Amino acid sequence: MKILKTLPVRLSIGTLLMAFAALGVSSIPTGCGKDISTTEPLPTQTFSNVDANAGSWKMIVLSGPSQIPVAAPAAVNSATYASEIAQIKSDQAALTDAQKSSITYWSSGGVLRWNEVMRELAAKSDLPPAPNSDGTYPVPSAANPFADPQYPFSNPPYAARAYSYVSVAQFEALKAAWYFKYLYKRPSPSAVDKSVQSLLPSSGIPSYPSEDAVEAGVNSVLLTLMFPTSVDEINAKTQEQLMVARISGRATQSDVDAGFALGKSVAAIFTARAGTDGMKAAGGTAAVWQAITDRTIATGQIAWISQDSPARPPMLPLFGQVKGWLMAPTDIVAVRPGPPPSTSSAQMKTETAEVKASVNNITGDQLATVLKWGDGASTPTPPGHWDTIAVPYIVKAGQSEVRAARTFALLNMALHDGAIACWDTKYFYDNPRPSQLDPSIKTQIALPNFPSYVSGHSVFSSAAATVLGSLFPDGASYFTQQAQEAGMSRLYAGIHYRSDITAGIQEGQQVGNYAVRFAATDGAN
Amino acid sequence: MVITAMGVAAHAQTLEDGIMLARGTLCAGSIYTRSQWSQYWEGTLERTNGNIGTVTTNSVSGMANYGITNRINVLAQTPYIWTQASAGVLHPQSGFQDFTGAVKLNLFQRPMDNHGSFHAIALLGGSVPTTDYSPDQMPLSIGTHSKSAFGRASLNFLGRRGLYLDGSLAYTLRDKVTLDRPYYYTNGQLYLSNQVAMPNQSQYGFNVGYYRRDLKIAGTFSQMNTRGGGDIRRQDMPFVSNRVNESRAGIEVQYPLPHFHDVQYWASYSNTFQGRNTGQATMFTSGIMFTYHRERRVAP
């Protein structure tokens, strides 16, 4: 009896194994191996060129490299300097594991790491406000950023502007730093004293003022301006980068102090610009929203309406009037494409039918493309997506900090100007989405809350591809293909007509060319 | 019958219950399920959302159970699922979801004088997605597209007069899922990866009711907790690895159709009365299960 009772249990082990093998689940990890990378796995930075002449590259906002003065440093044979060197040595003798991993983190380059931080802040803030109980929507307030809803709602135009402010200011500040570095030519601590270890990639670049500290100064001020609720994270990164500059043996305290002050002073110029660039008015007012609708109806067209429930005010209808970097208001008008097909035309009917057929017969590959380029709420937005695409090219080219900053500045100026041009076009024509003209059209991703023509993804992507293609010719065909894919993903998703994409790609190319032309004459080639 | 006295059913068994199928018996059929919710918990905040209205998830599952012996059963099922939202513009999703297979073991049974008997049941199994549906279109995605392995232990009492008591504990290990995008934000962090770690899930539950001669009527309660994962942020979309918790109660009925030998009708109703990052769903199931006996009689 006893044997009979236990027999089935014994048999079950073999049966179980067979069953598991049949299911193909025997290889399932059991709770291990679940750590997913939160940072980009970047290699240690290499420098193909130190760009010693970057101090003479053309400025964009500053009047020149010495607009912010940086006083001459103490001599390397002074007592002050000797005590700074002694401090580095004593720090290096007592490095903690946390400090070592901080050094490893920043050894991939501060420009790349800060860009990564900014993408995270943009994603964190990329949430539309929830409606009030009466069907209205609260507006995030810069004056009270921690209130509900938190400030900002980092939608694509807001994010494009934020990326550009930080990127351009950092580029200007680094050009100024390079000017003073090669003016004063103070060697790095490890070059002065051979017993100081060099724990960051060594470049031979003079160390006063510290480029790491310049970056920390710019980013701490402008990221806090753009993403005020993330101030603690930003400060922690700032302090970490300043510490790494010193304990790695790359810079002394005076190198760091001078760099940090320079970075913050340059950032202050951009803070002032941001206060008067038109962003504050970009949300418009109820009267502005109504005027856009009335104007559209007066032209005989169906006006865009919000399909959010409850209906949400249009996203940043006056963003088209925000100040550009390389494009004047007349340039924005000049690149504005001609009108979309009339909402009552046969062509519009055909295009609407194409959207419906496409979204209802979407293939697995097309859906993957849609989701890859979704870039909706809680993402770094399309501009951040294109910054991500640039990263491996910057790494592979071995760009110096100042040149990597130039890459992001050119790219993000084009993305910001692209946002202006695109939003100008969107609210100039106020064209309805496919799902408004045909309510039977359902979308594969959340419907963006602004007019259809032209596609933002198309403008952003083609502007970015144009800039990146000129900076990295090896990748040009890949960037173009990615831009086309990004544009078409919006048709597959059911949120854009083909015309939106075609016209958006053309507009984006023209926007991108402004940055390409600037880059051809800024002295960096 | 000897078989039922042992607690082995001629029909019927599910992944959740504590009931065994007799040796040589195949029980197969199809269950239709409809789950609906108009309120959901965004983290712990209960709300409605005009952009989705009422979300309905329908499924038809093919199910089969087989008694290898009286004490070792195997189970398999695959649902076809279709979802839709009553408001807003989101496109319905549909497709075959995951294949689930499991082995059910009657570990021991202990008669309690003349009152009935206790049974200890173990269930081990796993699931794998059968198609390339995307888990990145929550709340309309048809599943999480995660491979899983699970274990369940239950202890039940079958009374001579039909009293049915069942308590169970379960744990599910879930494998990473892969998205079609290179980054995602969840749980206060941007992840620069297309891989999403899926928190494991634990569950416990009780069934109390009547079960005799293939007629079962039971009240059910279950509590599922996800062992990690982030909350849906205010006004954000749900995400595949969210911390989904559910307290669910309901009733289920399995009863043999009169005049149809070996055909059983199943129905259940349940409600999610408390939850986190999930809909306040009401769920109905309805289905027919057929039983085929390879051997008409089974030796004890």
Side-chain angles (χ1 to χ4, degrees), chain A residues 5 12 16 23 28-29 33-34 36 38 120 124 127 308-309 360 371-372 375 378 380 385 442-444, chain B residues 51 71 88-89 91 93 99 105 124 134 137 174-176 180 183 185 190 195 197-198 200 233 236:
Chain A
K5 271 201 165 178
S12 69
L16 254 180
L23 288 173
I28 282 190
K34 285 206 166 184
I36 307 283
T38 55
E120 169 153 16
K124 178 183 168 189
L127 269 185
D308 270 24
S309 178
N360 285 345
L371 297 172
K372 169 183 168 185
D375 297 328
S378 290
H385 197 153
K442 300 292 178 186
T443 64
Q444 296 289 347
Chain B
N51 296 309
R71 305 179 92 169
V89 298
H91 203 278
Q93 301 296 328
F99 171 81
L105 308 167
L124 290 163
S134 172
Q137 293 174 293
R174 299 194 297 172
D175 198 9
K176 285 190 288 250
D180 292 308
Y183 42 65
Y185 187 92
L190 182 69
Q195 303 279 301
M198 293 292 288
N200 295 331
R233 297 194 297 161
D236 204 355

Side-chain angles (χ1 to χ4, degrees), chain A residues 13 34 38 42 53 97 136 138 152-153 207 225-226 233 256 280 297 333 335-336 345 370 417 421 449 522:
Chain A
I13 295 162
K34 285 206 166 184
T38 55
L42 298 171
N53 70 341
D97 285 345
T136 62
F153 164 24
S207 68
L225 176 73
M226 298 293 169
E233 277 169 84
V256 166
K280 281 177 190 158
I297 292 168
V333 174
V335 301
R336 184 195 297 151
S345 67
V370 167
D417 290 0
N449 191 56
D522 74 345

Side-chain angles (χ1 to χ4, degrees), chain A residues 161-347:
Chain A
R161 174 174 169 270
Y163 290 122
S164 71
Y165 266 88
V166 176
S167 301
V168 177
Q170 180 175 253
F171 180 40
E172 302 279 87
L174 284 172
K175 281 181 287 189
W178 249 248
Y179 170 82
F180 289 111
K181 278 173 180 290
Y182 286 92
L183 178 67
Y184 298 127
K185 295 200 177 74
R186 185 196 249 187
S188 66
S190 53
V192 173
D193 183 332
K194 297 296 174 207
S195 63
V196 173
Q197 299 175 69
S198 176
L199 301 175
L200 281 176
S202 175
S203 59
I205 298 170
S207 68
Y208 181 91
S210 154
E211 65 271 38
D212 302 287
V214 167
E215 293 163 7
V218 170
N219 281 278
S220 63
V221 172
L222 290 178
L223 287 178
T224 306
L225 176 73
M226 298 293 169
F227 304 103
T229 57
S230 298
V231 60
D232 292 344
E233 277 169 84
I234 295 163
N235 284 342
K237 286 287 180 203
T238 301
Q239 292 308 317
E240 186 187 32
Q241 190 184 22
L242 295 175
M243 174 193 75
V244 165
R246 282 184 281 105
I247 63 176
S248 64
R250 190 188 260 174
T252 64
Q253 187 66 50
S254 53
D255 296 333
V256 166
D257 291 345
F260 196 50
L262 174 61
K264 286 199 291 188
S265 297
V266 171
I269 293 168
F270 284 79
T271 300
R273 185 190 190 276
T276 57
D277 69 354
M279 183 67 207
K280 281 177 190 158
T285 59
V288 167
W289 309 335
Q290 191 58 46
I292 293 169
T293 305
D294 292 347
R295 192 190 64 210
T296 311
I297 292 168
T299 63
Q301 299 297 306
I302 297 172
W304 172 84
I305 55 167
S306 168
Q307 289 185 274
D308 270 24
S309 178
R312 187 184 286 277
M315 182 189 288
L316 302 180
L318 299 184
F319 194 86
Q321 296 172 19
V322 167
K323 192 173 178 183
W325 295 106
L326 300 171
M327 295 177 75
T330 48
D331 298 323
I332 296 294
V333 174
V335 301
R336 184 195 297 151
S342 167
T343 49
S344 56
S345 67
Q347 194 197 334

Side-chain angles (χ1 to χ4, degrees), chain A residues 348-371:
Chain A
M348 192 51 121
K349 210 163 262 168
T350 308
E351 291 207 25
T352 309
E354 183 190 17
V355 173
K356 183 169 176 176
S358 180
V359 75
N360 285 345
N361 299 294
I362 193 166
T363 67
D365 283 351
Q366 287 171 339
L367 179 59
T369 301
V370 167
L371 297 172

